Amino acid sequence: MTKLILIRHGRTLWNSSGKFQGQSDIELSQEGISQAEKLAENFPVTHIDKVYSSNLKRAYITGEIIAKKFNVPIIKDKRLCEVSFGSWEGLTYDEIHKKWPNEIETMFSTPDVLTMPEGESFAQVQKRGVEALLDIVNKHPDETIAITAHGGILRTLLAYALHMPLRYIWTLRQDNTAVNIVAFYGDKINVELLNSTAHLSLTQLPKLGRFS
């Protein structure tokens, strides 16, 4: 059994201002760093063997804080980076809606059929993300691996684990530093936790143990 702890990055200034980030390499805010530190201190398992991260700073720094806590290596994998929002990056929803009203509505109503202007589709993101996920699982049998990434790609990975069509990915909330736990038993997958942010409000989170 390989256990994956899937984590969204901490908060950024663009998160606070409602801007679409995508593959723009935005730093964590001080709040985001604090969130990552709280997660490291109140991590839901007592042991991890390695951290994999998106190559974007906000995810990598989140992963680095966790890796330092557990004294384990961290590895960048660009396949784990966020969906490219193309022309929408750096813009707010209202700014996008003024220029691309049909496309932005399509993204939220039927995200499985849209390719972002000069960007990616969620199907493309899921394909590269699942390839990375399965490579990690195959390389680390019977280990517990943390993966720090982004809300968009994590939704596609969770949809894969849940056998959920991409059309419904927005039903899967992913807050900053949200924790999801997915266990792989050969070709069987168990989703054990979704969008937990208990670490942000608890002084010390009860540990689940290495293989729980």
Side-chain angles (χ1 to χ4, degrees), residues 14-15 17-26 58 82-122 125 152 169-170:
W14 279 21
N15 286 144
S17 59
K19 292 181 179 180
F20 281 54
Q21 296 179 117
Q23 295 182 4
S24 298
D25 205 3
I26 309 303
R58 58 191 185 273
E82 182 61 301
V83 55
S84 170
F85 284 107
S87 302
W88 296 356
E89 294 188 10
L91 303 179
T92 65
Y93 172 86
D94 288 341
E95 289 170 334
I96 296 167
H97 194 271
K98 286 179 182 178
K99 189 171 181 179
W100 296 276
N102 295 328
E103 290 85 349
I104 190 69
E105 291 300 328
T106 298
M107 189 190 75
F108 287 110
S109 62
T110 51
D112 54 315
V113 302
L114 178 71
T115 298
M116 261 60 77
E118 299 185 28
E120 289 181 292
S121 69
F122 282 105
V125 175
I169 58 171
W170 297 116

Side-chain angles (χ1 to χ4, degrees), residues 9-168:
H9 62 79
R11 196 166 182 82
T12 71
L13 291 177
W14 279 21
N15 286 144
S16 299
S17 59
K19 292 181 179 180
F20 281 54
Q21 296 179 117
Q23 295 182 4
S24 298
D25 205 3
I26 309 303
E27 299 267 5
L28 292 179
S29 65
Q30 285 301 311
E31 181 186 4
I33 291 171
S34 177
Q35 289 173 330
E37 290 173 342
K38 286 180 180 179
L39 173 56
E41 289 299 318
N42 297 284
F43 211 70
V45 298
T46 56
H47 170 92
I48 60 174
D49 295 284
K50 193 167 290 185
V51 177
Y52 282 81
S53 173
S54 157
N55 59 320
L56 299 176
K57 292 174 185 175
R58 58 191 185 273
Y60 186 79
I61 293 170
T62 301
E64 201 171 36
I65 291 169
I66 295 165
K68 183 177 179 181
K69 169 67 176 179
F70 287 94
N71 193 29
V72 297
I74 180 169
I75 298 172
K76 290 181 181 180
D77 190 328
K78 65 182 181 180
R79 294 175 296 177
L80 297 170
C81 73
E82 182 61 301
V83 55
S84 170
F85 284 107
S87 302
W88 296 356
E89 294 188 10
L91 303 179
T92 65
Y93 172 86
D94 288 341
E95 289 170 334
I96 296 167
H97 194 271
K98 286 179 182 178
K99 189 171 181 179
W100 296 276
N102 295 328
E103 290 85 349
I104 190 69
E105 291 300 328
T106 298
M107 189 190 75
F108 287 110
S109 62
T110 51
D112 54 315
V113 302
L114 178 71
T115 298
M116 261 60 77
E118 299 185 28
E120 289 181 292
S121 69
F122 282 105
Q124 290 172 313
V125 175
Q126 186 181 58
K127 182 176 184 296
R128 61 172 166 82
V130 169
E131 286 176 354
L133 200 73
L134 296 181
D135 282 350
I136 292 168
V137 169
N138 290 331
K139 288 177 182 176
H140 299 284
D142 299 322
E143 293 185 356
T144 299
I145 306 297
I147 296 176
T148 51
H150 311 267
I153 188 169
L154 288 176
R155 286 179 172 92
T156 72
L157 296 179
L158 291 167
Y160 166 78
L162 291 164
H163 304 284
M164 175 188 291
L166 284 173
R167 175 163 296 199
Y168 304 112

